[in-house]
Amino acid sequence: MSYSPTDRLQRQVAELIVVRASGHLADQQRRYPRWELNNADLERLLQLGVGGVILLGGSAVELQQRTEMLERWSDQPLLLCADVEEGVGQRFEGASWLVPPLALGRLYQHAPQRALDLAERYGRCTGDQARRCGLNWVLGPVCDVNNNPANPVINVRAWGEEAATAGALAAAFQCGLSQTGVLGCAKHFPGHGDTSSDSHLDLPVLPHSRGRLAEIELPPFREVIAAGVDSVMTAHLLLPELDQDHPATLSKTVLTNLLRKELCFDGLVVTDALVMEAITKRHGAAEAAVLAFEAGADLILMPADADAAINGLCDGFRSGRLPKQRLEDSLRRRHQALRQIQQQHPRDPSQDTPIPSEPERMLEQELVAACLHLQPSTGINSSQGINLIRVDGLFPCASLSGTAPSLRLPELQGFKSVVIHNRGISPWQPQQDSPLALDRLGEGPVLLQLFIRGNPFRGTQDSIEPWSSAVQQLQRLHRLAGLVVYGSPYVWDELKTVLKPDIPAAYSPGQMPEAQRQVLTSLLNRSHTTSGQADFTD
């Protein structure tokens, strides 16, 4: 097919755009229609030449069908990616959902070789399942160093709280991933770990010097680049010591001078989603895309308006604001990445099954067990009490279906489940010394299960919940039957300081059903356990 010069430019530019789509097949199944294109617009843009799609939602089986559909709509090879930092099952039901990376970061402190081995298997499992579902690009590993416990958006997504840990484990993950023929992506450059605000909601400021960045933020990126990572994702944060005017995503100082020239990275540079408010509050879709490309990005991820971004970039090339050589360089990097995928592991849909293999299921169980912490005590032997569960967000939530072990296992022992979230029943009363309104919850002993972790779009709202005071209140009234924290190690660290040693308690970095099963099987049957579980205790 031939194009006029204008059409050819538009098609070349479109190759560098990555749009958002639902993993579900039908429009009415979209979970986030604000960001996920309907099928008509998606098919039109792919026929126009858009070269990438980021997917979220649905089952692993449905994702396999969806990626095949997208490939039929396009006449070129596509980059098909997802944020599967915790395994494909984190985003697509039925695949392996693995513990958050920070779980291995903490394991590394006392069992470094075991953590490294598990991180490599983690990467291999993620890449294998991604490829079998039709994805060819995993947006991980996270290379941010989560040295700020108040970080609301990175948190357990990081591989470590120190640069050496984060770098070693992220590189091990990348080594495992690269064995599967799936592209990896180091993010969020030059480091989003030491922030206390969420770039989905605003523009964080990282006030550190160039020397400090070299000491803490940059080493994990250097290690993962040395391990052969294929792409690097930018961070929407302002580093005034490097560039007072532009966030990293839009900064030539950061993307060209630091990443390309100093760190010698010649793979794909992709923006973080340009639809995030750190960018959209300050720039329109066309100008944001032009500024990002001008700074040194190759791929424009989730522009607020894909058509506007394409037109803006075309105008930039026609006017001379953007040099044509930059376009050629970015297209070369994209084509090279796609050739690498096709040569290493050509896809054969007839041989691919998205269902986890037995070794993959065993890895999920092993990761949960390796990172589980139990407070030594007798088991939970209460009944006829309240199973009080706090979950992130609204139903449905991935970790709490109607058959979730956190509901089912306590209910089998006589507990009545009460689930609270930020838009449902409020458990709080005004008195700070007695924060829980127990009269609203019912009588009897309380098994408290907290699903709390850093989450995009929630900002710091979770940090104001007085769970430390609530635990003390329940203990004072002799009503705390047990405590489980799923997710944030920082919440667990805080609550351990007020928890009485005879209270049955557990911490699991993972929130998935497998983690719930292992935790509650241990706590509810603790009086019958043997010393074989000593490996899991603090």
Side-chain angles (χ1 to χ4, degrees), residues 334-386:
R334 179 180 179 276
H335 296 161
Q336 182 177 341
L338 285 165
R339 279 197 303 273
Q340 175 184 322
I341 296 166
Q342 293 158 353
Q343 290 169 0
Q344 289 184 354
H345 285 272
R347 186 181 178 194
D348 182 0
S350 65
Q351 299 298 316
D352 290 339
T353 171
I355 306 302
S357 66
E358 185 61 26
E360 290 168 341
R361 285 193 289 268
M362 291 176 63
L363 175 62
E364 182 180 352
Q365 296 168 7
E366 184 180 350
L367 285 166
V368 170
C371 303
L372 176 61
H373 299 270
L374 296 173
Q375 175 166 291
S377 70
T378 58
I380 296 173
N381 52 24
S382 305
S383 61
Q384 307 300 316
I386 302 300

Side-chain angles (χ1 to χ4, degrees), residues 106-241:
R106 292 216 161 184
L107 179 66
Y108 184 87
Q109 302 311 307
H110 59 85
Q113 191 55 54
R114 187 181 187 195
L116 288 169
D117 291 344
L118 287 169
E120 183 174 352
R121 290 167 60 195
Y122 193 127
R124 198 160 60 245
C125 172
T126 301
D128 274 335
Q129 289 189 10
R131 179 174 48 80
R132 299 199 311 259
C133 290
L135 301 175
N136 55 23
W137 186 19
V138 166
L139 299 184
V142 170
C143 291
D144 307 309
V145 181
N146 198 73
N147 61 344
N148 185 344
N151 193 319
V153 63
I154 301 301
N155 206 274
V156 296
R157 300 165 62 195
W159 285 95
E161 297 158 298
E162 308 85 22
T165 302
L169 292 172
F173 172 93
Q174 175 58 40
C175 286
L177 188 70
S178 65
Q179 296 171 35
T180 70
V182 172
L183 304 176
C185 183
K187 61 186 187 183
H188 307 78
F189 189 81
H192 204 321
D194 195 11
T195 61
S196 56
S197 56
D198 182 357
S199 50
H200 293 84
L201 304 174
D202 208 345
L203 180 64
V205 177
L206 199 65
H208 301 315
S209 68
R210 178 65 182 78
R212 153 57 198 258
L213 292 174
E215 179 184 357
I216 303 295
E217 278 75 18
L218 296 181
F221 288 96
R222 291 185 185 275
E223 285 202 52
V224 174
I225 289 170
V229 76
D230 311 276
S231 62
V232 172
M233 180 181 287
T234 69
H236 298 333
L237 50 84
L238 187 68
L239 300 103
E241 293 296 320

Side-chain angles (χ1 to χ4, degrees), residues 181-481:
V182 172
L183 304 176
C185 183
K187 61 186 187 183
H188 307 78
F189 189 81
H192 204 321
D194 195 11
T195 61
S196 56
S197 56
D198 182 357
S199 50
H200 293 84
L201 304 174
D202 208 345
L203 180 64
V205 177
L206 199 65
H208 301 315
S209 68
R210 178 65 182 78
R212 153 57 198 258
L213 292 174
E215 179 184 357
I216 303 295
E217 278 75 18
L218 296 181
F221 288 96
R222 291 185 185 275
E223 285 202 52
V224 174
I225 289 170
V229 76
D230 311 276
S231 62
V232 172
M233 180 181 287
T234 69
H236 298 333
L237 50 84
L238 187 68
L239 300 103
E241 293 296 320
L242 274 64
D243 188 331
Q244 296 184 354
D245 302 317
H246 303 99
T249 295
L250 310 180
S251 172
K252 187 173 183 178
T253 301
V254 174
L255 300 190
T256 298
N257 297 349
L258 180 56
L259 179 56
R260 288 283 189 217
K261 295 181 179 178
E262 187 169 335
L263 271 62
C264 301
F265 180 68
D266 191 42
L268 286 165
V269 174
V270 57
T271 70
D272 203 347
L274 292 188
V275 75
M276 291 161 61
E277 292 188 33
I279 301 299
T280 59
K281 282 183 177 180
R282 295 161 179 82
H283 303 283
E287 184 64 8
V290 170
L291 287 171
F293 201 83
E294 203 169 33
D298 297 302
L299 301 177
I300 305 301
L301 176 65
M302 284 180 64
D305 182 327
D307 291 295
I310 293 169
N311 291 334
L313 287 166
C314 287
D315 290 343
F317 287 113
R318 292 189 193 102
S319 69
R321 177 180 174 179
L322 299 174
K324 290 288 181 64
Q325 184 60 49
R326 278 279 295 109
L327 177 60
E328 293 174 10
D329 290 343
S330 294
L331 290 169
R332 170 184 59 80
R333 293 186 184 106
R334 179 180 179 276
H335 296 161
Q336 182 177 341
L338 285 165
R339 279 197 303 273
Q340 175 184 322
I341 296 166
Q342 293 158 353
Q343 290 169 0
Q344 289 184 354
H345 285 272
R347 186 181 178 194
D348 182 0
S350 65
Q351 299 298 316
D352 290 339
T353 171
I355 306 302
S357 66
E358 185 61 26
E360 290 168 341
R361 285 193 289 268
M362 291 176 63
L363 175 62
E364 182 180 352
Q365 296 168 7
E366 184 180 350
L367 285 166
V368 170
C371 303
L372 176 61
H373 299 270
L374 296 173
Q375 175 166 291
S377 70
T378 58
I380 296 173
N381 52 24
S382 305
S383 61
Q384 307 300 316
I386 302 300
N387 178 29
L388 182 59
I389 299 177
R390 183 270 200 217
V391 295
D392 288 320
L394 297 170
F395 284 121
C397 68
S399 56
L400 202 69
S401 68
T403 59
S406 57
L407 291 168
R408 182 174 51 84
L409 294 180
E411 288 169 358
L412 288 174
Q413 194 153 315
F415 283 86
K416 175 186 175 183
S417 294
V418 176
V419 180
I420 58 175
H421 49 77
N422 64 326
R423 299 208 183 163
I425 179 175
S426 172
W428 308 116
Q429 62 182 2
Q431 295 90 334
Q432 290 302 311
D433 58 334
S434 300
L436 283 175
L438 294 174
D439 57 324
R440 296 184 206 156
L441 303 178
E443 297 181 353
V446 176
L447 169 58
L448 181 59
Q449 299 191 70
L450 304 178
F451 290 78
I452 300 178
R453 55 170 286 168
N455 276 300
F457 297 103
R458 293 177 65 83
T460 58
Q461 67 187 68
D462 297 334
S463 64
I464 62 174
E465 296 178 341
W467 289 112
S468 179
S469 296
V471 167
Q472 294 178 74
Q473 175 190 2
L474 290 169
Q475 290 181 140
R476 189 167 59 250
L477 298 172
H478 305 288
R479 291 191 60 183
L480 186 58

